[in-house]
Amino acid sequence: MIPSVLPTYNRAPLSFVKGEGIWLIEADGRRFLDLGAGIAVNALGHAHPALVDAITRQAQNLWHVSNLYRIPEQQALADRLVAASFADTVFFTNSGTESCELAVKMARKYWFDKGQPQKTDIITFEGSFHGRSAAGIAAAGSEKMTKGFGPLLPGFMHLPWNDPDALRAAITDTVGAILIEPVQGEGGIRPLSDQQLKDIRALCDAHDLLLILDEVQCGVGRSGRLFAHEWAGITPDIMMVAKGIGGGFPLGAVLATEDAASGMTAGTHGSTYGGNPLACAVGCAVMDIVATPDFLADVNRKAGQLRQALEGLVASHPDTFEEVRGVGLMLGLKCRKTNSDVVNAAYEAEVITVPAADNVIRLLPPLNISADEIAEAITRLDRAATSLEAA
Ligand SMILES: Cc1ncc(COP(=O)(O)O)c(C=O)c1O
């Protein structure tokens, strides 16, 4: 008989009942060190007092009103994002995949309105992940995500990751945009170098293409900058955001330049929930903490400590781990043993990691992880690797 929860996940036998900072507490009382943060969602850990306060205050006033009306909390969050980024304008969604839907629509409408309606194709890359909507799976294009779900939304060209010649060769007069993650998350923590990102921006400029960056996983401080593309000193035309921006409350956004967004006039897009007062009150509280130089400097400090400690872990366990990769607090351990076995051994050691493609385990801790928590994480990961090697 089918379970009452549609069985689209292979769930670990863990039920968490409470979260406190980096800790997740299991129904049986065990305390797990959470290096997954809900897959890069709980940017400030669990039950951060400023977020609890923001959501409680908003919940006592007003949870939801339609986008038929002005929403002060939404305006405030849009103003913060515009002030802190390349963007001139923001549309709020509830998830990364909804941000993908709008990014695709925005790019196509842009070229339609510019009198070049043939420029509907969007170049995407092997290993990418843009969500599970019809546009998201068509954009990623992998057999794993698309098999059985056809006919797929047309207009995506899938290129190999990091193959500049293939990219140049693919640009024709039907291509309107390039969509790419500055750091692939699900694809196995694969960062683009600053130079690669600069080259892609230059290619977009040379061929009159929109650059859409998917910063759903790598954005909102995770890379050590507010947005990962800032390291390369470039800006996109359109950017997808979600996960960390809500700190655990479902919230996403599409940020865009005035020009890129010019086709999205009244009536061209909408959302019942996107940008509602509750979500945006939390989003403002997240931005007030994360989008500050001191906080980001601390993320970089902690990222350096964690990375160094992980290099030591890899050196001590060459049969389990191959290398550390990633940026900021978006780190991956490429495994020699099967990554799911490592994740399971880590559960036994009461530390949470997240598997990714390319036999990688992801470490995406809360951005406010402390030095002591980093040390404890390494102790637990060491225990997991030791027990796996003894098995
Ligand atoms: C880079 C990227 N884009 C899009 C998504 C989809 O986001 P959501 O699951 O919120 O729809 C994800 C989710 O993991 C992601 O990592």
Side-chain angles (χ1 to χ4, degrees), residues 7 29 57-58 62 138 149 239 307 353 387:
R57 271 189 292 117
Q58 189 59 44
L62 181 62
F149 295 115
M239 179 170 69
R307 191 171 189 121
T353 61
S387 74

Side-chain angles (χ1 to χ4, degrees), residues 4 7 30 47 57 81 91 112 135 140 153 156 162 169 177-178 208 221 331 370 387 391:
S4 57
R30 282 179 298 162
R57 271 189 292 117
L81 287 166
F91 184 93
F112 181 86
L153 186 68
F156 294 97
N162 192 16
I178 294 177
D208 220 5
L331 295 171
S370 71
S387 74

